[in-house]
Coordinates of all heavy atoms in Angstrom, one line a residue:
M408 N 4.7 28.0 50.1 CA 4.1 28.6 48.9 C 4.5 27.7 47.7 O 5.7 27.2 47.6 CB 4.6 30.0 48.6 CG 4.1 30.6 47.3 SD 4.7 32.3 47.2 CE 4.1 32.7 45.6
D409 N 3.6 27.3 46.9 CA 3.8 26.5 45.7 C 4.7 27.3 44.7 O 4.2 28.3 44.3 CB 2.5 26.1 45.1 CG 2.6 25.1 43.9 OD1 3.8 24.7 43.7 OD2 1.7 24.8 43.3
E410 N 5.8 26.8 44.3 CA 6.6 27.4 43.3 C 6.1 27.2 41.8 O 6.7 27.8 41.1 CB 8.1 26.9 43.5 CG 8.7 27.2 44.8 CD 10.1 26.8 44.9 OE1 10.8 26.7 43.8 OE2 10.5 26.4 46.0
R411 N 5.2 26.4 41.7 CA 4.7 26.1 40.4 C 3.1 26.3 40.4 O 2.4 25.4 40.1 CB 4.9 24.6 39.9 CG 6.4 24.3 39.9 CD 6.6 22.9 39.5 NE 5.6 22.0 40.1 CZ 5.1 20.9 39.4 NH1 5.4 20.7 38.3 NH2 4.2 20.2 40.1
P412 N 2.7 27.6 40.6 CA 1.3 27.8 40.7 C 0.5 27.4 39.4 O -0.7 27.1 39.6 CB 1.1 29.3 41.0 CG 2.5 29.8 40.5 CD 3.4 28.8 40.6
F413 N 1.1 27.4 38.2 CA 0.4 27.2 37.0 C 0.7 25.7 36.5 O 0.4 25.4 35.4 CB 0.7 28.1 36.0 CG 0.2 29.5 36.4 CD1 1.2 30.5 36.7 CD2 -1.1 29.9 36.4 CE1 0.8 31.7 37.2 CE2 -1.5 31.1 36.8 CZ -0.6 32.0 37.2
G414 N 1.4 24.9 37.3 CA 1.8 23.6 36.9 C 2.8 23.5 35.7 O 2.8 22.8 34.9
V415 N 3.8 24.4 35.9 CA 4.9 24.5 34.9 C 6.0 23.8 35.4 O 6.4 23.9 36.6 CB 5.3 26.0 34.6 CG1 6.5 25.9 33.7 CG2 4.1 26.8 34.0
R416 N 6.5 22.9 34.6 CA 7.7 22.0 35.0 C 8.6 21.8 33.8 O 8.3 22.1 32.7 CB 7.2 20.7 35.5 CG 6.5 19.9 34.4 CD 6.0 18.6 35.0 NE 5.2 17.8 34.1 CZ 5.7 17.0 33.1 NH1 7.1 16.9 33.0 NH2 5.0 16.3 32.4
R417 N 9.9 21.4 34.2 CA 10.9 21.0 33.2 C 10.4 19.7 32.5 O 10.0 18.8 33.2 CB 12.2 20.9 33.8 CG 13.3 20.7 32.9 CD 14.7 20.5 33.5 NE 15.1 21.6 34.4 CZ 15.8 22.7 34.1 NH1 16.2 22.8 32.8 NH2 16.1 23.6 35.0
A418 N 10.4 19.8 31.2 CA 9.9 18.5 30.6 C 11.1 17.5 30.4 O 12.3 17.9 30.5 CB 9.5 18.8 29.2
S419 N 10.8 16.2 30.2 CA 11.8 15.2 30.1 C 11.6 14.5 28.8 O 10.6 14.7 28.2 CB 11.7 14.2 31.3 OG 10.7 13.5 31.1
L420 N 12.5 13.7 28.4 CA 12.4 12.9 27.2 C 11.1 12.1 27.2 O 10.5 11.8 26.1 CB 13.6 12.0 26.9 CG 13.9 11.6 25.5 CD1 13.9 12.8 24.5 CD2 15.2 10.9 25.4
A421 N 10.7 11.6 28.3 CA 9.4 10.9 28.5 C 8.2 11.8 28.0 O 7.2 11.2 27.6 CB 9.2 10.5 29.9
D422 N 8.4 13.1 28.0 CA 7.3 14.0 27.6 C 7.4 14.3 26.0 O 6.6 15.1 25.5 CB 7.3 15.3 28.4 CG 7.2 15.1 29.8 OD1 6.2 14.5 30.2 OD2 8.1 15.6 30.6
L423 N 8.2 13.7 25.3 CA 8.4 14.0 24.0 C 7.2 14.0 23.1 O 6.9 15.0 22.3 CB 9.5 13.0 23.3 CG 9.8 13.3 21.8 CD1 10.5 14.7 21.7 CD2 10.8 12.2 21.4
G424 N 6.4 13.1 23.2 CA 5.1 13.0 22.4 C 4.2 14.2 22.6 O 3.9 14.9 21.6
P425 N 3.8 14.4 23.8 CA 2.9 15.7 24.0 C 3.7 17.0 23.8 O 3.0 17.9 23.1 CB 2.5 15.6 25.4 CG 2.9 14.3 26.0 CD 3.9 13.7 25.0
V426 N 4.9 17.1 24.0 CA 5.6 18.3 23.7 C 5.7 18.5 22.1 O 5.4 19.6 21.6 CB 7.2 18.3 24.2 CG1 8.0 19.3 23.5 CG2 7.0 18.4 25.7
L427 N 6.0 17.4 21.3 CA 5.9 17.4 19.8 C 4.6 17.9 19.4 O 4.5 18.7 18.5 CB 6.3 16.1 19.3 CG 7.8 15.9 19.0 CD1 8.1 14.5 18.7 CD2 8.3 16.8 18.0
D428 N 3.5 17.3 19.9 CA 2.2 17.6 19.5 C 2.0 19.1 19.6 O 1.4 19.7 18.7 CB 1.1 16.9 20.3 CG 1.1 15.4 19.9 OD1 1.7 15.0 19.0 OD2 0.5 14.7 20.8
T429 N 2.3 19.7 20.8 CA 2.1 21.1 21.0 C 2.8 21.9 20.0 O 2.4 23.0 19.5 CB 2.4 21.4 22.5 OG1 1.4 20.7 23.3 CG2 2.1 23.0 22.7
L430 N 4.2 21.7 19.9 CA 5.0 22.5 19.1 C 4.6 22.3 17.5 O 4.7 23.3 16.9 CB 6.5 22.1 19.2 CG 7.0 22.5 20.6 CD1 8.5 21.9 20.8 CD2 7.0 24.0 20.9
V431 N 4.3 21.2 17.1 CA 3.9 21.1 15.7 C 2.6 21.8 15.4 O 2.5 22.6 14.4 CB 3.7 19.6 15.4 CG1 3.0 19.4 13.9 CG2 5.0 18.9 15.3
A432 N 1.7 21.8 16.4 CA 0.5 22.7 16.2 C 0.8 24.1 16.2 O 0.2 24.9 15.5 CB -0.6 22.3 17.4
A433 N 1.7 24.6 17.0 CA 2.2 25.9 17.0 C 2.9 26.4 15.9 O 2.6 27.5 15.4 CB 3.0 26.1 18.4
Y434 N 3.7 25.7 15.3 CA 4.5 26.0 14.1 C 3.8 25.6 12.8 O 4.2 26.1 11.7 CB 5.8 25.3 14.2 CG 6.7 26.0 15.2 CD1 6.9 25.4 16.5 CD2 7.4 27.2 14.9 CE1 7.8 26.0 17.3 CE2 8.3 27.7 15.8 CZ 8.4 27.1 17.0 OH 9.3 27.6 18.0
G435 N 2.6 24.9 12.8 CA 2.0 24.5 11.6 C 1.7 25.7 10.6 O 1.6 25.5 9.4
D436 N 1.2 26.8 11.2 CA 0.8 27.9 10.4 C 1.8 29.0 10.3 O 1.5 30.1 9.9 CB -0.6 28.5 10.9 CG -1.7 27.5 10.7 OD1 -1.7 26.7 9.6 OD2 -2.6 27.4 11.4
D437 N 3.0 28.8 10.8 CA 4.0 29.8 10.9 C 4.5 30.1 9.5 O 4.6 29.2 8.7 CB 5.2 29.3 11.7 CG 6.4 30.3 11.8 OD1 6.3 31.3 12.5 OD2 7.3 30.1 11.1
E438 N 4.6 31.4 9.2 CA 4.9 31.9 7.8 C 6.3 31.3 7.2 O 6.4 30.8 6.2 CB 5.0 33.4 7.8 CG 5.0 33.9 6.4 CD 4.8 35.5 6.3 OE1 4.0 36.0 7.1 OE2 5.5 36.1 5.6
W439 N 7.2 31.3 8.1 CA 8.5 30.8 7.7 C 8.4 29.3 7.4 O 9.0 28.9 6.4 CB 9.6 31.1 8.7 CG 11.0 30.7 8.2 CD1 11.8 31.5 7.4 CD2 11.7 29.4 8.2 NE1 13.0 30.7 7.1 CE2 12.9 29.5 7.6 CE3 11.3 28.2 8.9 CZ2 13.7 28.4 7.5 CZ3 12.2 27.1 8.7 CH2 13.3 27.2 8.1
D440 N 7.8 28.6 8.3 CA 7.7 27.2 8.1 C 6.8 26.8 6.9 O 7.2 25.8 6.2 CB 7.1 26.5 9.4 CG 8.0 26.5 10.5 OD1 9.2 26.1 10.3 OD2 7.7 26.9 11.6
R441 N 5.8 27.6 6.6 CA 5.0 27.3 5.5 C 5.9 27.6 4.2 O 5.7 26.9 3.1 CB 3.8 28.2 5.3 CG 2.7 27.8 6.2 CD 1.4 28.5 6.0 NE 1.5 29.9 5.5 CZ 1.2 31.0 6.3 NH1 0.7 30.8 7.5 NH2 1.5 32.1 5.8
W442 N 6.8 28.5 4.2 CA 7.8 28.7 3.0 C 8.8 27.7 3.0 O 9.2 27.2 1.9 CB 8.4 30.2 3.2 CG 9.5 30.4 2.3 CD1 9.3 30.8 1.0 CD2 10.9 30.3 2.5 NE1 10.4 31.0 0.3 CE2 11.5 30.6 1.2 CE3 11.7 29.9 3.5 CZ2 12.8 30.7 1.0 CZ3 13.0 29.8 3.4 CH2 13.6 30.2 2.1
A443 N 9.4 27.3 4.1 CA 10.6 26.4 4.0 C 10.2 24.9 4.0 O 11.0 24.1 3.4 CB 11.4 26.7 5.3
V444 N 9.0 24.6 4.6 CA 8.7 23.1 4.6 C 7.8 22.8 3.5 O 6.7 23.4 3.5 CB 8.2 22.7 6.0 CG1 7.8 21.3 6.1 CG2 9.2 23.2 7.1
P445 N 8.1 21.8 2.7 CA 7.1 21.5 1.6 C 5.8 21.1 2.0 O 5.7 20.6 3.2 CB 7.8 20.3 0.9 CG 9.2 20.4 1.3 CD 9.3 21.0 2.6
D446 N 4.8 21.4 1.2 CA 3.4 21.0 1.6 C 3.2 19.5 1.8 O 2.4 19.2 2.6 CB 2.4 21.5 0.5 CG 2.3 23.0 0.5 OD1 2.6 23.7 1.4 OD2 1.9 23.6 -0.6
D447 N 3.8 18.8 1.0 CA 3.7 17.3 1.0 C 4.0 16.8 2.5 O 5.2 16.8 2.9 CB 4.6 16.6 0.0 CG 4.4 15.1 0.0 OD1 3.3 14.5 0.2 OD2 5.5 14.4 -0.1
D448 N 3.1 16.3 3.3 CA 3.2 15.8 4.5 C 3.9 16.9 5.5 O 4.9 16.5 6.2 CB 4.0 14.5 4.6 CG 4.0 13.9 6.0 OD1 3.2 14.1 6.7 OD2 5.1 13.1 6.2
R449 N 3.5 18.1 5.4 CA 4.0 19.1 6.2 C 4.1 18.8 7.7 O 5.1 19.1 8.3 CB 3.4 20.5 6.1 CG 3.9 21.6 7.0 CD 3.5 22.9 6.7 NE 4.0 23.3 5.4 CZ 3.4 24.1 4.5 NH1 2.2 24.6 4.8 NH2 3.9 24.3 3.4
Q450 N 3.0 18.3 8.2 CA 3.0 18.0 9.7 C 4.1 16.9 10.1 O 4.8 17.1 11.1 CB 1.5 17.5 10.1 CG 0.5 18.6 9.9 CD 0.7 19.7 10.9 OE1 0.8 19.6 12.0 NE2 0.7 20.9 10.2
G451 N 4.3 15.9 9.3 CA 5.2 14.9 9.5 C 6.6 15.5 9.4 O 7.5 15.2 10.2
R452 N 6.8 16.4 8.4 CA 8.2 17.0 8.2 C 8.5 18.0 9.4 O 9.6 18.0 9.9 CB 8.2 17.8 6.9 CG 8.1 16.9 5.7 CD 7.9 17.8 4.5 NE 7.7 17.0 3.2 CZ 8.8 16.6 2.5 NH1 10.0 16.9 2.7 NH2 8.5 15.9 1.4
L453 N 7.5 18.7 9.8 CA 7.7 19.6 11.0 C 8.0 18.7 12.3 O 8.9 19.0 13.0 CB 6.5 20.4 11.3 CG 6.3 21.7 10.4 CD1 4.9 22.3 10.7 CD2 7.4 22.7 10.6
R454 N 7.3 17.7 12.4 CA 7.5 16.8 13.5 C 9.0 16.3 13.5 O 9.6 16.3 14.6 CB 6.5 15.7 13.4 CG 6.4 14.8 14.7 CD 5.2 13.9 14.7 NE 4.9 13.4 15.9 CZ 4.2 13.9 16.9 NH1 3.6 15.1 16.7 NH2 4.1 13.3 18.0
T455 N 9.5 16.0 12.4 CA 10.9 15.5 12.3 C 11.9 16.5 12.7 O 12.8 16.3 13.4 CB 11.1 14.9 10.9 OG1 10.3 13.8 10.7 CG2 12.6 14.6 10.8
L456 N 11.6 17.7 12.1 CA 12.5 18.9 12.4 C 12.6 19.3 13.8 O 13.6 19.5 14.4 CB 12.1 20.1 11.5 CG 12.3 20.0 10.0 CD1 11.6 21.1 9.3 CD2 13.8 20.0 9.7
I457 N 11.3 19.2 14.4 CA 11.3 19.7 15.8 C 11.8 18.6 16.7 O 12.5 18.8 17.7 CB 9.8 20.1 16.1 CG1 9.4 21.3 15.4 CG2 9.6 20.2 17.7 CD1 8.0 21.6 15.5
R458 N 11.5 17.3 16.4 CA 12.1 16.2 17.2 C 13.6 16.2 17.2 O 14.2 16.0 18.2 CB 11.5 14.9 16.7 CG 12.0 13.7 17.5 CD 11.4 12.3 16.9 NE 11.6 12.2 15.5 CZ 12.7 11.7 15.0 NH1 13.8 11.5 15.7 NH2 12.9 11.6 13.7
V459 N 14.1 16.4 16.0 CA 15.7 16.4 15.9 C 16.3 17.5 16.8 O 17.1 17.2 17.5 CB 16.1 16.5 14.4 CG1 17.5 16.9 14.4 CG2 15.8 15.3 13.7
S460 N 15.7 18.7 16.8 CA 16.2 19.8 17.6 C 16.0 19.5 19.0 O 16.8 19.9 19.9 CB 15.4 21.1 17.1 OG 15.9 21.6 15.9
L461 N 14.8 19.0 19.4 CA 14.6 18.7 20.8 C 15.6 17.6 21.3 O 16.1 17.8 22.4 CB 13.2 18.1 21.0 CG 12.0 19.2 20.9 CD1 10.7 18.5 20.8 CD2 12.1 20.1 22.1
Q462 N 15.7 16.5 20.6 CA 16.6 15.4 21.0 C 18.2 15.7 21.0 O 18.8 15.2 21.8 CB 16.3 14.2 20.2 CG 15.0 13.6 20.5 CD 14.6 12.4 19.7 OE1 14.8 12.4 18.5 NE2 14.2 11.3 20.4
T463 N 18.5 16.5 20.0 CA 20.0 16.8 20.0 C 20.4 18.1 20.6 O 21.6 18.2 21.0 CB 20.4 16.9 18.5 OG1 19.8 18.0 17.8 CG2 20.1 15.6 17.8
R464 N 19.5 18.9 20.9 CA 19.9 20.2 21.6 C 19.1 20.7 22.8 O 19.7 20.9 23.9 CB 19.8 21.3 20.5 CG 20.8 21.2 19.3 CD 20.6 22.2 18.3 NE 21.6 22.1 17.3 CZ 21.5 21.4 16.2 NH1 20.4 20.7 16.0 NH2 22.5 21.4 15.3
A465 N 17.8 20.7 22.6 CA 17.0 21.3 23.8 C 16.9 20.3 25.0 O 17.3 20.8 26.1 CB 15.6 21.6 23.4
F466 N 16.5 19.1 24.9 CA 16.5 18.1 26.0 C 17.8 17.9 26.7 O 17.8 18.1 27.9 CB 15.8 16.9 25.7 CG 14.3 16.9 25.6 CD1 13.6 16.5 24.5 CD2 13.7 17.2 26.8 CE1 12.2 16.5 24.4 CE2 12.2 17.2 26.7 CZ 11.5 16.9 25.6
P467 N 18.9 17.7 26.0 CA 20.1 17.5 26.6 C 20.6 18.7 27.5 O 21.3 18.6 28.4 CB 21.1 17.2 25.5 CG 20.3 16.7 24.4 CD 19.0 17.4 24.5
N468 N 20.1 19.9 27.1 CA 20.5 21.1 27.8 C 19.5 21.4 29.0 O 19.6 22.4 29.7 CB 20.6 22.4 26.9 CG 21.8 22.3 26.1 OD1 22.9 22.4 26.7 ND2 21.7 22.2 24.9
G469 N 18.4 20.6 29.0 CA 17.4 20.8 30.0 C 16.5 22.0 29.8 O 16.1 22.7 30.8
E470 N 16.4 22.5 28.6 CA 15.8 23.7 28.3 C 14.4 23.5 27.6 O 14.1 24.2 26.6 CB 16.6 24.7 27.6 CG 17.8 25.2 28.5 CD 17.5 25.8 29.7 OE1 16.3 26.3 29.9 OE2 18.3 25.8 30.6
V471 N 13.7 22.5 28.0 CA 12.3 22.4 27.6 C 11.3 22.4 28.8 O 11.6 21.6 29.7 CB 12.1 21.0 26.8 CG1 10.7 20.8 26.3 CG2 13.2 20.8 25.7
W472 N 10.4 23.3 28.7 CA 9.5 23.5 29.8 C 8.1 23.4 29.3 O 7.8 23.6 28.2 CB 9.7 24.8 30.4 CG 10.9 25.0 31.3 CD1 12.3 25.2 30.7 CD2 11.2 24.9 32.6 NE1 13.2 25.2 31.7 CE2 12.6 25.1 32.9 CE3 10.2 24.6 33.7 CZ2 13.2 25.0 34.1 CZ3 10.9 24.7 35.0 CH2 12.2 24.8 35.2
M473 N 7.3 23.0 30.2 CA 5.8 22.6 29.7 C 4.8 22.8 30.9 O 5.2 22.7 32.1 CB 5.6 21.2 29.2 CG 6.0 20.1 30.1 SD 5.9 18.5 29.5 CE 4.2 18.2 29.3
T474 N 3.6 23.1 30.6 CA 2.6 22.9 31.6 C 2.3 21.5 31.8 O 2.5 20.6 31.0 CB 1.3 23.7 31.2 OG1 0.9 23.2 29.9 CG2 1.5 25.2 31.1
D475 N 1.7 21.1 32.9 CA 1.4 19.8 33.3 C 0.6 19.1 32.2 O 0.7 17.8 31.9 CB 0.8 19.5 34.7 CG 1.8 19.9 35.8 OD1 3.0 19.6 35.5 OD2 1.4 20.2 36.8
D476 N -0.4 19.9 31.5 CA -1.2 19.2 30.5 C -0.6 19.4 29.1 O -1.4 19.1 28.2 CB -2.6 19.8 30.7 CG -2.7 21.4 30.4 OD1 -1.6 22.0 30.1 OD2 -3.8 22.0 30.5
A477 N 0.5 19.9 29.0 CA 1.3 20.1 27.7 C 0.5 21.0 26.7 O 0.8 21.0 25.6 CB 1.5 18.8 27.0
T478 N -0.3 21.9 27.2 CA -1.0 22.9 26.3 C 0.0 24.1 26.0 O -0.3 24.8 25.1 CB -2.4 23.4 26.9 OG1 -2.1 24.0 28.1 CG2 -3.3 22.3 27.0
S479 N 1.0 24.1 26.9 CA 2.0 25.2 26.5 C 3.3 24.7 26.8 O 3.6 24.0 27.7 CB 1.8 26.4 27.5 OG 2.6 27.4 27.3
V480 N 4.2 25.0 25.8 CA 5.7 24.5 25.9 C 6.6 25.6 25.5 O 6.3 26.4 24.6 CB 5.8 23.3 24.8 CG1 7.3 22.9 24.7 CG2 4.9 22.1 25.1
G481 N 7.7 25.7 26.2 CA 8.7 26.6 25.8 C 10.0 25.8 25.7 O 10.3 24.9 26.5
W482 N 10.8 26.2 24.8 CA 12.1 25.5 24.5 C 13.1 26.4 24.0 O 12.8 27.4 23.3 CB 11.9 24.3 23.5 CG 11.5 24.6 22.1 CD1 10.5 25.5 21.7 CD2 11.8 24.0 21.0 NE1 10.3 25.5 20.4 CE2 11.1 24.6 19.8 CE3 12.8 22.9 20.6 CZ2 11.3 24.2 18.5 CZ3 12.9 22.7 19.3 CH2 12.1 23.2 18.3
W483 N 14.4 26.2 24.3 CA 15.5 27.0 24.0 C 16.6 26.1 23.5 O 16.9 25.1 24.0 CB 15.9 27.7 25.2 CG 15.0 28.8 25.7 CD1 14.9 30.0 25.5 CD2 13.9 28.5 26.6 NE1 13.9 30.6 26.1 CE2 13.2 29.7 26.8 CE3 13.3 27.3 27.2 CZ2 12.1 29.8 27.7 CZ3 12.3 27.5 28.1 CH2 11.7 28.7 28.2
L484 N 17.3 26.7 22.4 CA 18.3 25.9 21.9 C 19.7 26.6 22.2 O 19.7 27.8 22.4 CB 18.3 25.9 20.4 CG 17.0 25.2 19.8 CD1 17.0 25.1 18.4 CD2 16.9 23.7 20.3
P485 N 20.8 25.9 22.4 CA 22.1 26.6 22.7 C 22.5 27.6 21.6 O 22.2 27.4 20.5 CB 23.0 25.4 22.8 CG 22.3 24.1 22.5 CD 21.0 24.5 22.2
I486 N 23.0 28.7 22.1 CA 23.2 29.8 21.2 C 24.3 29.4 20.1 O 24.3 29.9 19.0 CB 23.7 31.1 22.0 CG1 23.6 32.3 21.0 CG2 25.0 30.9 22.6 CD1 23.5 33.6 21.8
D487 N 25.2 28.5 20.5 CA 26.2 28.2 19.6 C 25.7 27.1 18.5 O 26.4 26.9 17.4 CB 27.5 27.6 20.1 CG 27.2 26.2 20.9 OD1 26.1 25.8 20.8 OD2 28.1 25.7 21.6
G488 N 24.5 26.7 18.7 CA 23.9 25.8 17.6 C 24.5 24.4 17.7 O 24.0 23.5 16.9
A489 N 25.5 24.1 18.4 CA 26.1 22.8 18.4 C 25.3 21.7 19.1 O 24.7 22.0 20.2 CB 27.5 22.8 19.1
P490 N 25.0 20.5 18.4 CA 24.3 19.5 19.1 C 24.9 19.0 20.3 O 26.2 18.9 20.3 CB 24.2 18.4 18.0 CG 24.7 19.1 16.7 CD 25.5 20.3 17.1
V491 N 24.3 18.7 21.3 CA 24.7 18.1 22.5 C 24.7 16.6 22.4 O 25.7 16.0 22.9 CB 24.0 18.6 23.7 CG1 24.5 17.9 25.0 CG2 24.1 20.1 23.9
N492 N 23.7 16.1 21.9 CA 23.6 14.6 21.8 C 24.2 14.2 20.6 O 23.8 14.1 19.4 CB 22.0 14.3 21.8 CG 21.9 12.6 21.8 OD1 22.7 12.0 21.2 ND2 20.8 12.3 22.3
R493 N 25.5 13.8 20.6 CA 26.3 13.4 19.5 C 25.8 12.1 18.8 O 26.0 12.0 17.6 CB 27.8 13.2 20.0 CG 28.5 14.4 20.6 CD 28.7 15.4 19.6 NE 29.3 16.6 20.2 CZ 29.1 17.8 19.9 NH1 28.4 18.0 18.8 NH2 29.7 18.8 20.5
D494 N 25.1 11.2 19.4 CA 24.6 10.0 18.8 C 23.6 10.4 17.8 O 23.6 9.9 16.7 CB 24.1 9.0 19.8 CG 25.1 8.5 20.8 OD1 26.3 8.4 20.4 OD2 24.8 8.1 21.9
L495 N 22.6 11.3 18.1 CA 21.6 11.7 17.3 C 22.1 12.8 16.3 O 21.6 12.8 15.2 CB 20.5 12.2 18.0 CG 19.7 11.2 18.8 CD1 18.6 11.8 19.6 CD2 19.0 10.2 17.9
A496 N 23.1 13.5 16.6 CA 23.6 14.5 15.8 C 24.1 14.0 14.4 O 24.0 14.6 13.4 CB 24.8 15.3 16.5
S497 N 24.6 12.9 14.3 CA 25.2 12.3 13.2 C 24.1 12.0 12.2 O 24.3 12.0 11.0 CB 26.0 11.0 13.5 OG 25.1 10.1 14.0
Q498 N 22.8 11.8 12.7 CA 21.6 11.6 11.9 C 20.9 12.9 11.6 O 20.1 12.9 10.7 CB 20.7 10.6 12.5 CG 21.3 9.3 13.0 CD 20.3 8.6 13.8 OE1 19.1 8.7 13.9 NE2 20.8 7.6 14.7
A499 N 21.2 13.9 12.3 CA 20.4 15.2 12.3 C 20.4 15.8 10.9 O 19.4 16.3 10.4 CB 20.8 16.1 13.3
D500 N 21.6 15.9 10.3 CA 21.7 16.5 9.0 C 20.8 15.8 7.9 O 20.2 16.4 7.1 CB 23.1 16.6 8.5 CG 23.9 17.7 9.3 OD1 23.3 18.5 9.9 OD2 25.1 17.6 9.2
A501 N 20.8 14.5 7.9 CA 20.1 13.7 6.9 C 18.7 13.9 7.1 O 17.9 14.0 6.2 CB 20.6 12.2 6.9
L502 N 18.2 13.7 8.4 CA 16.8 14.0 8.8 C 16.3 15.3 8.4 O 15.2 15.5 8.0 CB 16.7 13.6 10.2 CG 16.7 12.2 10.6 CD1 16.8 12.1 12.2 CD2 15.6 11.3 10.0
T503 N 17.2 16.3 8.7 CA 16.7 17.6 8.4 C 16.6 18.0 6.9 O 15.6 18.5 6.4 CB 17.7 18.7 9.0 OG1 17.7 18.5 10.3 CG2 17.4 20.1 8.6
A504 N 17.6 17.5 6.1 CA 17.5 17.6 4.7 C 16.3 16.8 4.0 O 15.6 17.5 3.2 CB 18.8 17.0 4.1
E505 N 16.0 15.7 4.6 CA 14.8 15.0 4.1 C 13.6 15.7 4.5 O 12.7 15.8 3.6 CB 14.8 13.6 4.7 CG 13.7 12.7 4.3 CD 13.7 11.3 4.9 OE1 14.7 10.8 5.2 OE2 12.5 10.7 5.0
A506 N 13.5 16.2 5.7 CA 12.2 17.0 6.2 C 12.0 18.2 5.3 O 10.9 18.6 5.0 CB 12.3 17.2 7.7
L507 N 13.1 18.9 4.9 CA 13.1 20.1 4.2 C 12.8 19.9 2.7 O 12.6 20.8 1.8 CB 14.2 21.0 4.5 CG 14.3 21.6 5.8 CD1 15.6 22.4 6.0 CD2 13.0 22.6 6.1
G508 N 12.9 18.7 2.2 CA 12.7 18.3 0.9 C 13.8 18.5 0.0 O 13.8 18.8 -1.1

């Protein structure tokens, strides 16, 4: 029996582009994001915020899943909020502050 009948698989860093595209599209009209993220280049800012979270927390924990065509993505961040990727974590605060304006 196929364990992935809908083509769902764990995403890897190689999938970053399509994963980002899907998540930015999903969060683009989110009420909180519209409030928190400035209108000026909102899509670019969201892309930065999501990319930082994916690279420092979600991907290192192996908790990014996607359909094979990337039309659906699920991601989970560690409950303690601590970045796992220490190399990128040092840049995360500055990137987040810049993205939030």
Side-chain angles (χ1 to χ4, degrees):
M408 180 175 174
D409 184 4
E410 294 181 32
R411 302 177 321 136
F413 299 106
V415 176
R416 63 180 174 83
R417 190 180 302 266
S419 72
L420 201 50
D422 300 305
L423 182 62
V426 165
L427 268 172
D428 291 343
T429 299
L430 291 174
V431 169
Y434 286 97
D436 290 331
D437 180 73
E438 189 172 325
W439 186 90
D440 289 312
R441 284 194 325 250
W442 173 81
V444 180
D446 289 335
D447 178 40
D448 189 26
R449 174 171 293 148
Q450 295 298 309
R452 292 171 186 270
L453 281 173
R454 194 169 191 84
T455 297
L456 290 168
I457 293 168
R458 180 179 53 80
V459 166
S460 290
L461 284 167
Q462 290 180 307
T463 61
R464 294 177 175 90
F466 276 121
N468 283 300
E470 295 303 337
V471 182
W472 291 78
M473 63 185 284
T474 55
D475 288 332
D476 62 2
T478 58
S479 184
V480 172
W482 61 320
W483 293 264
L484 302 177
I486 197 162
D487 66 3
V491 173
N492 185 327
R493 300 288 179 213
D494 295 332
L495 290 173
S497 64
Q498 303 170 29
D500 288 342
L502 289 170
T503 300
E505 182 180 331
L507 291 174

